[in-house]
Amino acid sequence: MRFLLDDEQTAFARSLDALLTAADTPAVVRAWGAGDHTAGRALWSRIAELGVFALAVPEAYEGVGARPVELAVAFVELGRHGVPGPVVETVAAGALLSGPGFAHLARRFLPGVASGETVVTVALPGGGPYVLDGDVADVELSVCRDGGGELWVVQGGGDRAGLRSRVRRSLDPARRLALPRPGGQVLAAGPQVVAGAADALCWARLATAAQALGVGLTLLDRTVAYVKQRSQFGVPVGSFQAVRHRLADAKIALEFARPLVFGAALTMDPADVAAAKVAACEAAYTTARTALQLHGAIGYTAEYDLSLWLTKARALRSAWGSPGECRGVVLGGGGGAHSGADSGADSGADSGAGDGFG
């Protein structure tokens, strides 16, 4: 089966690519990681104007309806450009609040999500003690199993300085892990919360898989360009057979992952989505290791832009479910909200322990 984008989807991808290229996203990523969200929020608004966040919001709430294929197209581009912020979490929130029994909450939150006015972060059961970008999110949603499933919300920016003090060091500086905000209120409880969390997890894994695919593609493109320029023994290192083999392996892994991602977007079956996430994230991680080796010492340099994608590839690998958890879903081990959200499942990868590529 061939998964080719139609003309409209291709034009959408090109428009997003042009916007992000003009925005100088590496500078935006570095500012975001340093705690300056001004440029990031401006970019967020421009991404929303292209309809990215509306792709997970029903038309009744100012979205364009659930369009997972177009969402995958968008998130490949977001990954290629390393866009910071809780983009996956905002999509997960859209999926969560679009479920049955949440109409009153959808009316309250989803128009802002679709328009980009509301930045949302989400924590699902099974995660660790952190939420992603909790210091910048306007709304913080969390699901717990107490009482058969409860949906909690903390809303409002509050004391930004106090929120920044809750941020913890992360392997990927642009993925700012924060302790949950105190307080909050219960918005809903019951089985519909558990079912909504499972659906949100599926959408989050799809978005993460597409994002990882985009990260891997940029790592490969940058590495190919580098080995054409770097010379040893009077010739480009890209002419060495061993270098070509490593790049070919990375290319094959990424091209194998691509149809899995778009195939999963067509079915939205949890097992298909889990398989796509494993394939895309492992391909991006393999490509990151290759990029690091072929760049040599400069690849370890934080000031070199390659590092922005290297660290993201490592963090996404275990975001919204580790490779082992996703393989368990594929093999029939069951999916659902218990498999862990971004804020917790990748907390080990984001803890900063070690170089992450050993």
Side-chain angles (χ1 to χ4, degrees):
M1 184 178 294
R2 301 177 68 192
F3 296 102
L4 298 178
L5 303 182
D6 61 28
D7 292 342
E8 184 176 344
Q9 293 164 341
T10 300
F12 178 47
R14 288 175 178 169
S15 297
L16 192 52
D17 175 53
L19 182 152
L20 297 174
T21 299
D24 187 17
T25 50
V28 175
V29 172
R30 294 186 186 280
W32 188 279
D36 181 359
H37 303 123
T38 304
R41 289 297 296 255
L43 179 60
W44 185 283
S45 296
R46 292 198 292 273
I47 292 171
E49 288 173 1
L50 285 182
V52 172
F53 302 123
L55 295 170
V57 175
E59 294 182 36
Y61 309 112
E62 302 182 20
V64 296
R67 295 194 178 185
V69 175
E70 285 74 13
L71 185 85
V73 170
F75 270 77
V76 169
E77 295 303 319
L78 297 184
R80 284 184 61 234
H81 290 273
V83 173
V87 288
V88 172
E89 288 68 22
T90 296
V91 167
L96 173 62
L97 298 180
S98 297
F102 294 117
H104 62 299
L105 301 177
R107 286 191 297 270
R108 176 178 171 185
F109 293 112
L110 291 188
V113 169
S115 68
E117 295 178 3
T118 304
V119 176
V120 184
T121 191
V122 178
L124 299 184
Y130 303 111
V131 293
L132 187 67
D133 292 307
D135 60 325
V136 67
D138 303 304
V139 176
E140 184 177 300
L141 298 174
S142 61
V143 175
C144 63
R145 296 195 188 95
D146 295 343
E150 292 182 345
L151 174 61
W152 287 73
V153 64
V154 180
Q155 191 173 6
D159 178 12
R160 290 295 180 185
L163 292 175
R164 284 194 293 271
S165 70
R166 306 178 70 82
V167 175
R168 298 298 180 263
R169 182 171 178 262
S170 167
L171 171 67
D172 178 3
R175 295 171 58 80
R176 295 169 60 82
L177 300 177
L179 293 170
R181 302 176 194 178
Q185 63 179 117
V186 178
L187 295 179
Q192 75 272 19
V193 174
V194 176
D199 191 42
L201 178 61
C202 190
W203 278 81
R205 283 178 172 168
L206 176 68
T208 302
Q211 192 178 19
L213 177 60
V215 168
L217 292 172
T218 288
L219 286 167
L220 181 61
D221 289 344
R222 286 177 172 262
T223 305
V224 169
Y226 181 77
V227 299
K228 289 180 178 179
Q229 297 172 356
R230 181 184 174 192
S231 295
Q232 283 188 345
F233 309 110
V235 297
V237 297
S239 65
F240 300 153
Q241 190 175 46
V243 171
R244 291 181 174 184
H245 286 173
R246 292 295 301 271
L247 292 171
D249 288 343
K251 176 69 172 177
I252 290 170
L254 292 168
E255 290 304 316
F256 178 77
R258 189 194 301 268
L260 290 181
V261 171
F262 287 105
L266 285 173
T267 69
M268 287 305 287
D269 179 87
D272 292 344
V273 172
K277 184 186 180 301
V278 171
C281 290
E282 293 296 82
Y285 182 63
T286 297
T287 305
R289 292 173 64 94
T290 297
L292 185 59
Q293 181 175 11
L294 297 185
H295 274 80
I298 195 173
Y300 285 95
T301 306
E303 291 76 14
Y304 192 57
D305 283 348
L306 185 78
S307 66
L308 303 179
W309 285 270
L310 287 174
T311 53
K312 192 171 294 294
R314 179 62 183 90
L316 291 178
R317 186 175 183 238
S318 51
W320 293 98
S322 68
E325 289 171 335
C326 289
R327 288 189 180 102
V329 176
V330 175
L331 296 174
H338 70 278
S339 296
D342 188 346
S343 58
D346 65 338
S347 57
D350 276 358
S351 65
D355 64 10
F357 290 96

